[in-house]
Amino acid sequence: MTSAEHNDSLSPNAQVTITGRNVEVPEHFQERVNAKLAKIEKLDPSLTFFNVELQHEPNPRREAQAQRVQITATGKGHLARAEAKEDSFYAALESALGKMERSLRKVKVRRQVARSGHRAPKSTGKIAAELAREAEEARAQAKDNFETDPYADTVEDVVPGQIVRRKEHSATPMSVDDALSEMELVGHDFYLFVDEETNQPSVVYRRHAYDYGLIALTAEAKEA
């Protein structure tokens, strides 16, 4: 068996479901997905379930992004999600896997720093260098995301200023560090949660470089 054949025969311990919307998923692609997820699983062995969804989006204006792959990984009490659109499902798979891997690595570093009892400087050292490289790669891959309307294919006759999507999440209190980890795992720029220290609704969000911000609601705002 060649090295490539061996890699394609790998599969994660976690349960995997692969579905296609408007597209058939060939067996060789399923084997590739399982082999790739087996490597992703090593970054977080607590993951128990992977859901991979393929969707063909026929749009002449977006031929270079017609093939969409979304990966959702769930474990005990946490979730990670990554999505990519490319001109082929193989390219979209690699792009989505890259995003998920970066998110899991960031969370792994954050947890290691938290367990050590101190925080390393964010602008120097090995962690900062790794995050800088990952941020540059993420910006390169996400460049086209800001040039298209994410609701163009799903909302008809959009009226400016209207709410086009609603979501509800559980309000289980958590620490700020856990909220930052959840934000990284789902790939968002902000995360709404209930701070376990204050029991108040709060939001963590990305700022410049590697810094984060925290907004909290209180009964009376403090004067600056």
Side-chain angles (χ1 to χ4, degrees):
M1 178 182 293
T2 66
S3 176
E5 290 173 338
H6 174 70
N7 289 337
D8 284 344
S9 66
L10 295 174
S11 61
N13 294 320
Q15 180 182 351
V16 179
T17 62
I18 306 172
T19 58
R21 296 176 59 184
N22 306 324
V23 64
E24 292 290 336
V25 184
E27 184 177 349
H28 59 82
F29 190 85
Q30 296 182 38
E31 293 174 353
R32 174 66 65 88
V33 170
N34 278 286
K36 294 291 185 177
L37 292 181
K39 298 178 181 179
I40 291 292
E41 186 181 52
K42 293 180 180 179
L43 294 173
D44 187 350
S46 69
L47 295 175
T48 57
F49 181 74
F50 288 100
N51 180 63
V52 181
E53 181 180 277
L54 284 67
Q55 181 177 9
H56 174 66
E57 300 180 346
N59 188 330
R61 295 176 300 172
R62 299 181 184 178
E63 291 184 0
Q65 296 180 324
Q67 317 301 355
R68 170 180 169 272
V69 171
Q70 182 182 77
I71 305 172
T72 303
T74 56
K76 186 177 181 180
H78 66 285
L79 174 149
R81 180 180 292 115
E83 177 182 318
K85 296 179 181 179
E86 301 288 350
D87 59 354
S88 74
F89 284 119
Y90 281 100
L93 174 65
E94 293 298 329
S95 183
L97 287 167
K99 293 178 182 178
M100 179 164 287
E101 180 178 352
R102 285 190 293 274
S103 295
L104 291 174
R105 288 188 183 280
K106 287 181 181 180
V107 171
K108 185 176 182 179
V109 169
R110 176 173 296 282
R111 289 170 178 168
Q112 289 174 343
V113 171
R115 284 197 298 268
S116 70
H118 68 277
R119 296 187 176 278
K122 295 180 180 179
S123 59
T124 60
K126 182 177 180 181
I127 294 177
E130 181 179 345
L131 292 180
R133 183 175 63 255
E134 292 173 350
E136 185 62 29
E137 293 173 355
R139 282 195 294 271
Q141 291 189 358
K143 181 179 179 181
D144 293 336
N145 290 347
F146 298 96
E147 299 176 356
T148 59
D149 178 4
Y151 301 109
D153 298 330
T154 58
V155 180
E156 296 181 359
D157 300 325
V158 174
V159 178
Q162 299 297 303
I163 295 176
V164 297
R165 190 177 186 184
R166 293 179 181 269
K167 278 189 175 183
E168 293 184 358
H169 296 278
S170 62
T172 304
M174 64 177 65
S175 68
V176 173
D177 275 344
D178 286 343
L180 289 170
S181 294
E182 291 295 326
M183 182 181 72
E184 294 289 359
L185 289 173
V186 297
H188 291 172
D189 292 325
F190 67 93
Y191 191 81
L192 175 64
F193 70 107
V194 175
D195 192 330
E196 65 181 11
E197 291 188 2
T198 63
N199 203 35
Q200 296 291 336
S202 305
V203 173
V204 288
Y205 63 95
R206 299 182 192 278
R207 289 181 57 83
H208 301 295
Y210 315 117
D211 295 327
Y212 300 98
L214 173 65
I215 299 175
L217 294 180
T218 59
E220 295 183 3
K222 296 181 180 179
E223 294 185 0

